Amino acid sequence: DCVKQKQTLSQEILLLKLREQTYKDLLINRLQNVVSYRELQYQTTKKRKLWSIRKVLENYSDEIFKLIPCWMASPESVSAMFSMNLEANEKLFDLVIFDEASQCFAEYGIPAIFRGKQVVIAGDSKQLQPNDLYQIRYEEDLSTSDVPHDSVLEIDSLLDLAAQYLPQTSLQGHYRSHSLDLIDFSNRFFYKNSLRLLPNYEEINKNEPSINYVKVEGIWENNTNEIEAEKIIEIVNDLKQTSPEKSIGIVTFNHKQAELIDSKLPNLQQTQLSIKNIENIQGDEFDIVIFSIGYAPDKQGKMLMNFGSLNQQGGENRLNVGITRAREKIYVISSIFPNQLRVEDSQNQGPKLLKKYLEYALEVSQGKYLPK
């Protein structure tokens, strides 16, 4: 309670200081009229011949930064809005902070770095990497050029590039999961047991498994699993009755399954509920997460070992992101048991770790989990 009260007071004090900043050193003409902000106000309130944001920022940067000292934008927006005076070596910002830098292409982040005096680059190399599926990237074929080969040009993410040159600090306190069994799998298989749980004693004292493995008799057809979708609707309806205050995240391994579940939830806007496939879940967190594993035998009883994006190089990071979104509980809705997955010959780690996670989830659900 004291921490929350201090946070509230700190915010109020900060806002007060920012307001005081706006009327310090005001320029006053000989008629005793304030001329600071006058031109800026005119440019931002006129109806015709509107300037671009970049032009306004170029011409009134001092006044704008006095009014708005902190900005949040994508790296591309930073490059588009804020001009850069390289000749004068002027820096617009005292500090530039990148969040989720593992998903940022290095070439998109570097221009924003040049606009700051200091930089902090935060991210997790065990989470999603940049995805260039719908983006055009400039790639020069160095094999036929006279330019010496540099391995740094092979690096995709800004986080990996920064790790080559900047000092690193790892955060070890894990704050999201209220009980150890929600995070222990990732801690073992992704973070080399370096994470330390900040315990929630109310959850721990319940002495209940935080993962429920729900087995259904689903069929894989047209890249969807109807039975799993129906089971998820049933669980969501139960949760809305018993725990209406809880936020719920439904995670699927493909977009079609997410669309199927979405079509069965017409009142989605009225609940704290979100449906996403595993590529789009990074950065989110929920009280309760419901997993639709999806994979199942087809109508002929044949099971294909086709795991989509999980089967790609680095696909295991998608799994890591998905299984670490829950604060309190995970429901694993699966049409198979772990031993039905034949992943020994998989080239990449994603399918193998999926099988291990299903084994782990089943063990936790049956009350057999013991911390190691």
Side-chain angles (χ1 to χ4, degrees):
D1 290 342
C2 290
V3 169
K4 291 179 181 178
Q5 185 179 7
K6 183 179 180 181
Q7 288 174 339
T8 302
L9 290 172
S10 297
Q11 187 177 37
E12 291 175 357
I13 291 169
L14 176 62
L15 289 171
L16 180 62
K17 287 182 177 180
L18 288 174
R19 292 190 190 100
E20 290 175 349
Q21 180 90 347
T22 62
Y23 53 80
K24 279 184 179 178
D25 304 321
L26 294 177
L27 294 177
I28 300 175
N29 63 15
R30 59 187 178 85
L31 298 176
Q32 299 302 303
N33 294 323
V34 176
V35 296
S36 296
Y37 308 120
R38 187 167 63 185
E39 285 294 319
L40 175 62
Q41 184 182 22
Y42 167 72
Q43 291 297 339
T44 55
T45 55
K46 66 182 183 180
K47 304 299 182 184
R48 297 174 59 250
K49 297 182 179 180
L50 301 179
W51 286 9
S52 67
I53 295 175
R54 185 183 180 94
K55 188 174 180 180
V56 173
L57 285 165
E58 280 181 351
N59 286 270
Y60 304 103
S61 60
D62 290 343
E63 291 182 344
I64 290 174
F65 280 109
K66 186 180 284 188
L67 292 170
I68 311 171
C70 182
W71 293 72
M72 183 168 67
S74 68
E76 297 91 334
S77 297
V78 169
S79 297
M81 291 192 304
F82 300 105
S83 61
M84 186 167 58
N85 191 343
L86 287 176
E87 293 180 2
N89 198 27
E90 294 178 357
K91 305 294 186 182
L92 285 172
F93 297 99
D94 294 303
L95 177 64
V96 174
I97 302 174
F98 289 88
D99 189 26
E100 302 285 13
S102 70
Q103 291 193 79
C104 176
F105 283 113
E107 63 266 29
Y108 293 165
I110 289 173
I113 291 176
F114 275 105
R115 288 160 169 79
K117 297 176 183 177
Q118 289 183 302
V119 63
V120 172
I121 298 175
D124 184 349
S125 61
K126 300 300 182 184
Q127 296 197 12
L128 297 189
Q129 295 296 300
N131 186 353
D132 58 358
L133 185 60
Y134 302 109
Q135 301 184 42
I136 298 174
R137 300 186 68 201
Y138 173 75
E139 292 186 359
E140 184 179 358
D141 186 4
L142 296 178
S143 61
T144 59
S145 70
D146 297 328
V147 179
H149 176 74
D150 192 339
S151 59
V152 77
L153 297 177
E154 299 174 357
I155 296 174
D156 280 335
S157 81
L158 179 64
L159 182 68
D160 291 340
L161 179 65
Q164 301 283 327
Y165 299 100
L166 303 179
Q168 299 179 52
T169 299
S170 295
L171 303 181
Q172 296 178 332
H174 176 79
Y175 64 90
R176 178 179 294 139
S177 302
H178 290 182
S179 56
L180 183 59
D181 47 1
L182 286 176
I183 191 60
D184 197 28
F185 182 87
S186 286
N187 197 20
R188 289 188 214 170
F189 290 95
F190 291 94
Y191 300 109
K192 300 178 181 178
N193 287 310
S194 63
L195 298 181
R196 297 293 176 267
L197 181 73
L198 307 179
N200 182 297
Y201 291 106
E202 183 177 338
E203 292 294 325
I204 291 173
N205 289 337
K206 289 180 182 177
N207 196 28
E208 296 176 356
S210 293
I211 302 177
N212 276 18
Y213 195 108
V214 181
K215 173 67 169 62
V216 297
E217 300 300 323
I219 295 173
W220 185 248
E221 186 177 16
N222 297 324
N223 289 324
T224 58
N225 189 318
E226 182 84 20
I227 302 297
E228 286 191 16
E230 291 174 357
K231 187 63 179 180
I232 287 170
I233 304 307
E234 180 185 324
I235 292 173
V236 168
N237 288 332
D238 287 343
L239 289 172
K240 285 199 297 185
Q241 297 296 322
T242 59
S243 306
E245 76 285 358
K246 302 294 185 184
S247 60
I248 304 171
I250 299 173
V251 184
T252 69
F253 280 93
N254 72 337
H255 185 64
K256 282 194 172 182
Q257 184 71 1
E259 286 184 332
L260 175 63
I261 297 169
D262 192 14
S263 68
K264 294 177 177 291
L265 283 168
N267 298 321
L268 180 62
Q269 303 89 341
Q270 302 174 15
T271 64
Q272 299 184 70
L273 195 151
S274 179
I275 304 172
K276 293 187 177 182
N277 62 315
I278 204 164
E279 285 86 3
N280 301 321
I281 200 71
Q282 183 160 321
D284 292 346
E285 61 178 53
F286 308 94
D287 295 319
I288 300 167
V289 167
I290 306 174
F291 256 114
S292 177
I293 302 301
Y295 306 123
D298 59 20
K299 287 184 175 180
Q300 287 73 39
K302 184 178 180 181
M303 177 131 178
L304 298 176
M305 298 298 130
N306 182 9
F307 300 98
S309 60
L310 273 185
N311 213 20
Q312 300 171 5
Q313 185 175 1
E316 66 274 12
N317 286 10
R318 290 174 166 83
L319 178 66
N320 183 41
V321 170
I323 64 178
T324 54
R325 300 300 99 195
R327 300 187 193 101
E328 299 177 14
K329 198 170 190 65
I330 292 177
Y331 289 88
V332 176
I333 315 301
S334 178
S335 304
I336 56 173
F337 285 115
N339 59 7
Q340 292 177 256
L341 292 178
R342 300 286 181 261
V343 296
E344 294 75 16
D345 297 329
S346 297
Q347 185 176 358
N348 294 313
Q349 288 296 310
K352 295 177 182 178
L353 284 176
L354 173 62
K355 180 175 181 177
K356 286 183 180 293
Y357 180 72
L358 292 181
E359 291 171 344
Y360 173 85
L362 186 59
E363 182 182 80
V364 173
S365 182
Q366 293 173 342
K368 299 176 181 178
Y369 166 75
L370 292 174
K372 293 184 180 179

